[in-house]
Tab-separated table of all heavy atoms in Angstrom:
chain	number	residue	atom	x	y	z
A	1	PRO	N	10.144	-8.805	-5.690
A	1	PRO	CA	8.870	-8.764	-4.969
A	1	PRO	C	8.592	-7.384	-4.383
A	1	PRO	O	9.508	-6.659	-3.976
A	1	PRO	CB	9.052	-9.815	-3.869
A	1	PRO	CG	10.084	-10.745	-4.403
A	1	PRO	CD	11.025	-9.893	-5.204
A	2	VAL	N	7.322	-7.054	-4.317
A	2	VAL	CA	6.889	-5.745	-3.838
A	2	VAL	C	6.770	-5.752	-2.316
A	2	VAL	O	6.268	-6.715	-1.727
A	2	VAL	CB	5.528	-5.373	-4.473
A	2	VAL	CG1	5.061	-4.004	-3.969
A	2	VAL	CG2	5.629	-5.384	-5.990
A	3	THR	N	7.232	-4.687	-1.681
A	3	THR	CA	7.026	-4.509	-0.245
A	3	THR	C	5.837	-3.578	-0.028
A	3	THR	O	5.519	-2.733	-0.868
A	3	THR	CB	8.267	-3.926	0.439
A	3	THR	OG1	8.586	-2.656	-0.155
A	3	THR	CG2	9.454	-4.869	0.288
A	4	LEU	N	5.179	-3.731	1.122
A	4	LEU	CA	3.958	-2.989	1.415
A	4	LEU	C	3.936	-2.645	2.894
A	4	LEU	O	4.273	-3.488	3.732
A	4	LEU	CB	2.737	-3.841	1.057
A	4	LEU	CG	1.377	-3.165	0.992
A	4	LEU	CD1	1.281	-2.289	-0.252
A	4	LEU	CD2	0.264	-4.209	0.966
A	5	PHE	N	3.526	-1.417	3.219
A	5	PHE	CA	3.426	-1.046	4.635
A	5	PHE	C	2.354	-1.881	5.314
A	5	PHE	O	1.250	-2.027	4.810
A	5	PHE	CB	3.113	0.441	4.795
A	5	PHE	CG	3.059	0.879	6.232
A	5	PHE	CD1	4.217	1.175	6.921
A	5	PHE	CD2	1.845	0.961	6.908
A	5	PHE	CE1	4.175	1.558	8.254
A	5	PHE	CE2	1.783	1.346	8.235
A	5	PHE	CZ	2.958	1.646	8.914
A	6	ASP	N	2.687	-2.411	6.482
A	6	ASP	CA	1.779	-3.268	7.247
A	6	ASP	C	1.419	-2.561	8.541
A	6	ASP	O	2.289	-2.257	9.362
A	6	ASP	CB	2.468	-4.613	7.531
A	6	ASP	CG	1.542	-5.631	8.176
A	6	ASP	OD1	0.963	-5.319	9.234
A	6	ASP	OD2	1.407	-6.746	7.631
A	7	TYR	N	0.125	-2.279	8.740
A	7	TYR	CA	-0.315	-1.576	9.937
A	7	TYR	C	-0.017	-2.371	11.206
A	7	TYR	O	0.267	-1.793	12.253
A	7	TYR	CB	-1.807	-1.292	9.860
A	7	TYR	CG	-2.170	-0.033	9.108
A	7	TYR	CD1	-2.184	-0.004	7.717
A	7	TYR	CD2	-2.528	1.131	9.783
A	7	TYR	CE1	-2.531	1.148	7.023
A	7	TYR	CE2	-2.878	2.286	9.113
A	7	TYR	CZ	-2.883	2.287	7.728
A	7	TYR	OH	-3.223	3.431	7.044
A	8	GLY	N	-0.136	-3.692	11.123
A	8	GLY	CA	0.114	-4.511	12.299
A	8	GLY	C	1.575	-4.497	12.706
A	8	GLY	O	1.902	-4.411	13.891
A	9	LEU	N	2.457	-4.572	11.722
A	9	LEU	CA	3.897	-4.582	11.999
A	9	LEU	C	4.459	-3.179	12.187
A	9	LEU	O	5.560	-3.007	12.710
A	9	LEU	CB	4.642	-5.270	10.849
A	9	LEU	CG	4.308	-6.742	10.576
A	9	LEU	CD1	5.043	-7.228	9.342
A	9	LEU	CD2	4.654	-7.608	11.784
A	10	LYS	N	3.715	-2.176	11.668
A	10	LYS	CA	4.169	-0.777	11.676
A	10	LYS	C	5.459	-0.601	10.883
A	10	LYS	O	6.293	0.256	11.193
A	10	LYS	CB	4.327	-0.253	13.106
A	10	LYS	CG	3.012	-0.166	13.869
A	10	LYS	CD	3.215	0.399	15.264
A	10	LYS	CE	1.880	0.685	15.948
A	10	LYS	NZ	0.963	-0.478	15.995
A	11	GLN	N	5.607	-1.401	9.861
A	11	GLN	CA	6.749	-1.297	8.954
A	11	GLN	C	6.428	-2.044	7.673
A	11	GLN	O	5.394	-2.708	7.567
A	11	GLN	CB	8.009	-1.887	9.599
A	11	GLN	CG	7.900	-3.380	9.895
A	11	GLN	CD	9.137	-3.923	10.590
A	11	GLN	OE1	9.904	-3.175	11.179
A	11	GLN	NE2	9.330	-5.222	10.516
A	12	SER	N	7.315	-1.919	6.689
A	12	SER	CA	7.077	-2.574	5.410
A	12	SER	C	7.265	-4.073	5.520
A	12	SER	O	8.058	-4.567	6.328
A	12	SER	CB	8.014	-2.001	4.344
A	12	SER	OG	7.693	-0.654	4.077
A	13	ARG	N	6.519	-4.789	4.688
A	13	ARG	CA	6.546	-6.244	4.674
A	13	ARG	C	6.714	-6.727	3.236
A	13	ARG	O	6.128	-6.169	2.313
A	13	ARG	CB	5.230	-6.779	5.272
A	13	ARG	CG	4.942	-8.233	5.034
A	13	ARG	CD	3.634	-8.637	5.706
A	13	ARG	NE	2.512	-7.769	5.359
A	13	ARG	CZ	1.845	-7.854	4.223
A	13	ARG	NH1	2.161	-8.751	3.300
A	13	ARG	NH2	0.833	-7.028	3.974
A	14	ASN	N	7.509	-7.765	3.061
A	14	ASN	CA	7.690	-8.353	1.736
A	14	ASN	C	6.455	-9.187	1.402
A	14	ASN	O	6.165	-10.170	2.066
A	14	ASN	CB	8.944	-9.224	1.706
A	14	ASN	CG	9.275	-9.714	0.301
A	14	ASN	OD1	8.426	-9.735	-0.594
A	14	ASN	ND2	10.515	-10.123	0.100
A	15	THR	N	5.730	-8.791	0.359
A	15	THR	CA	4.506	-9.506	0.006
A	15	THR	C	4.770	-10.778	-0.787
A	15	THR	O	3.890	-11.643	-0.881
A	15	THR	CB	3.583	-8.606	-0.832
A	15	THR	OG1	4.209	-8.336	-2.102
A	15	THR	CG2	3.299	-7.294	-0.104
A	16	GLY	N	5.940	-10.880	-1.381
A	16	GLY	CA	6.236	-12.022	-2.245
A	16	GLY	C	5.608	-11.908	-3.623
A	16	GLY	O	5.805	-12.790	-4.465
A	17	LEU	N	4.862	-10.828	-3.874
A	17	LEU	CA	4.200	-10.636	-5.158
A	17	LEU	C	5.032	-9.728	-6.051
A	17	LEU	O	5.585	-8.727	-5.594
A	17	LEU	CB	2.809	-10.015	-4.961
A	17	LEU	CG	1.819	-10.797	-4.098
A	17	LEU	CD1	0.528	-9.992	-3.946
A	17	LEU	CD2	1.532	-12.157	-4.698
A	18	LYS	N	5.078	-10.050	-7.321
A	18	LYS	CA	5.794	-9.194	-8.264
A	18	LYS	C	4.919	-8.065	-8.799
A	18	LYS	O	5.438	-7.067	-9.295
A	18	LYS	CB	6.339	-10.030	-9.418
A	18	LYS	CG	7.498	-10.931	-9.025
A	18	LYS	CD	8.124	-11.596	-10.235
A	18	LYS	CE	9.328	-12.429	-9.832
A	18	LYS	NZ	9.984	-13.068	-11.011
A	19	ALA	N	3.609	-8.248	-8.733
A	19	ALA	CA	2.687	-7.224	-9.229
A	19	ALA	C	1.762	-6.789	-8.091
A	19	ALA	O	0.957	-7.583	-7.607
A	19	ALA	CB	1.874	-7.748	-10.410
A	20	LEU	N	1.893	-5.540	-7.672
A	20	LEU	CA	1.031	-4.998	-6.627
A	20	LEU	C	1.066	-3.477	-6.725
A	20	LEU	O	2.131	-2.869	-6.729
A	20	LEU	CB	1.497	-5.448	-5.236
A	20	LEU	CG	0.624	-5.004	-4.061
A	20	LEU	CD1	-0.808	-5.490	-4.214
A	20	LEU	CD2	1.210	-5.504	-2.740
A	21	GLY	N	-0.116	-2.884	-6.819
A	21	GLY	CA	-0.209	-1.437	-6.992
A	21	GLY	C	-0.475	-0.712	-5.696
A	21	GLY	O	0.423	-0.525	-4.875
A	22	ILE	N	-1.739	-0.296	-5.468
A	22	ILE	CA	-2.058	0.484	-4.286
A	22	ILE	C	-3.173	-0.182	-3.476
A	22	ILE	O	-4.041	-0.850	-4.019
A	22	ILE	CB	-2.475	1.930	-4.647
A	22	ILE	CG1	-3.667	1.949	-5.614
A	22	ILE	CG2	-1.309	2.680	-5.246
A	22	ILE	CD1	-4.117	3.343	-6.001
A	23	ILE	N	-3.110	0.020	-2.169
A	23	ILE	CA	-4.188	-0.336	-1.253
A	23	ILE	C	-4.711	0.985	-0.716
A	23	ILE	O	-4.018	1.693	0.020
A	23	ILE	CB	-3.702	-1.230	-0.097
A	23	ILE	CG1	-2.988	-2.480	-0.632
A	23	ILE	CG2	-4.881	-1.602	0.795
A	23	ILE	CD1	-3.841	-3.401	-1.467
A	24	MET	N	-5.914	1.352	-1.128
A	24	MET	CA	-6.481	2.656	-0.790
A	24	MET	C	-7.654	2.484	0.163
A	24	MET	O	-8.550	1.678	-0.073
A	24	MET	CB	-6.930	3.379	-2.066
A	24	MET	CG	-7.555	4.750	-1.835
A	24	MET	SD	-8.051	5.577	-3.384
A	24	MET	CE	-6.445	5.987	-4.079
A	25	GLY	N	-7.650	3.249	1.245
A	25	GLY	CA	-8.734	3.206	2.207
A	25	GLY	C	-9.974	3.930	1.703
A	25	GLY	O	-10.117	4.223	0.511
A	26	ASP	N	-10.862	4.259	2.613
A	26	ASP	CA	-12.128	4.900	2.286
A	26	ASP	C	-12.010	6.422	2.389
A	26	ASP	O	-11.203	6.937	3.160
A	26	ASP	CB	-13.217	4.409	3.238
A	26	ASP	CG	-13.329	2.888	3.238
A	26	ASP	OD1	-13.720	2.332	2.208
A	26	ASP	OD2	-12.999	2.264	4.270
A	27	PHE	N	-12.831	7.118	1.609
A	27	PHE	CA	-12.883	8.578	1.634
A	27	PHE	C	-11.526	9.207	1.275
A	27	PHE	O	-11.008	10.060	1.992
A	27	PHE	CB	-13.342	9.080	3.011
A	27	PHE	CG	-14.677	8.550	3.444
A	27	PHE	CD1	-14.769	7.562	4.412
A	27	PHE	CD2	-15.849	9.022	2.882
A	27	PHE	CE1	-15.998	7.071	4.822
A	27	PHE	CE2	-17.085	8.530	3.285
A	27	PHE	CZ	-17.165	7.550	4.252
A	28	VAL	N	-10.974	8.768	0.161
A	28	VAL	CA	-9.706	9.305	-0.336
A	28	VAL	C	-9.969	10.025	-1.653
A	28	VAL	O	-10.655	9.495	-2.528
A	28	VAL	CB	-8.659	8.194	-0.544
A	28	VAL	CG1	-7.385	8.763	-1.179
A	28	VAL	CG2	-8.324	7.513	0.776
A	29	THR	N	-9.434	11.224	-1.803
A	29	THR	CA	-9.505	11.935	-3.075
A	29	THR	C	-8.088	12.274	-3.528
A	29	THR	O	-7.231	12.625	-2.713
A	29	THR	CB	-10.329	13.227	-2.961
A	29	THR	OG1	-9.796	14.049	-1.913
A	29	THR	CG2	-11.781	12.916	-2.647
A	30	THR	N	-7.861	12.138	-4.838
A	30	THR	CA	-6.548	12.451	-5.395
A	30	THR	C	-6.686	13.533	-6.451
A	30	THR	O	-7.680	13.594	-7.178
A	30	THR	CB	-5.892	11.211	-6.035
A	30	THR	OG1	-6.602	10.864	-7.246
A	30	THR	CG2	-5.914	10.031	-5.085
A	31	GLY	N	-5.680	14.402	-6.533
A	31	GLY	CA	-5.671	15.451	-7.535
A	31	GLY	C	-5.295	14.914	-8.901
A	31	GLY	O	-4.846	13.771	-9.049
A	32	ILE	N	-5.455	15.747	-9.924
A	32	ILE	CA	-5.116	15.318	-11.283
A	32	ILE	C	-3.624	15.017	-11.368
A	32	ILE	O	-2.802	15.608	-10.687
A	32	ILE	CB	-5.524	16.372	-12.325
A	32	ILE	CG1	-4.795	17.692	-12.078
A	32	ILE	CG2	-7.031	16.590	-12.320
A	32	ILE	CD1	-5.007	18.712	-13.186
A	33	HIS	N	-3.293	14.048	-12.213
A	33	HIS	CA	-1.900	13.633	-12.466
A	33	HIS	C	-1.233	13.003	-11.244
A	33	HIS	O	-0.003	12.915	-11.203
A	33	HIS	CB	-1.043	14.798	-12.959
A	33	HIS	CG	-1.390	15.276	-14.328
A	33	HIS	ND1	-0.952	14.657	-15.482
A	33	HIS	CD2	-2.152	16.324	-14.728
A	33	HIS	CE1	-1.419	15.308	-16.527
A	33	HIS	NE2	-2.164	16.323	-16.109
A	34	SER	N	-1.997	12.577	-10.248
A	34	SER	CA	-1.377	11.935	-9.085
A	34	SER	C	-0.720	10.629	-9.507
A	34	SER	O	-1.293	9.852	-10.264
A	34	SER	CB	-2.423	11.673	-7.990
A	34	SER	OG	-2.918	12.881	-7.466
C-alpha cells in the first residue's frame, strides 16, 4: 500500500491503496523530465 503525507497528521499515512500517484495543489509548475 502507498503512503501519503497528511497535512492534518503532519506525517505520512497509509492509504491502503496499491495505486496512487500525486496530489498536486494549485499554481504548480514543473520543469521538463520531472
Side-chain angles (χ1 to χ4, degrees):
V2 180
T3 59
L4 193 73
F5 182 82
D6 187 304
Y7 275 79
L9 298 175
K10 294 182 171 54
Q11 63 183 20
S12 293
R13 166 179 52 79
N14 187 340
T15 66
L17 301 177
K18 289 188 177 181
L20 183 58
I22 57 180
I23 305 298
M24 179 179 289
D26 305 293
F27 303 105
V28 175
T29 55
T30 70
I32 61 172
H33 291 279
S34 294

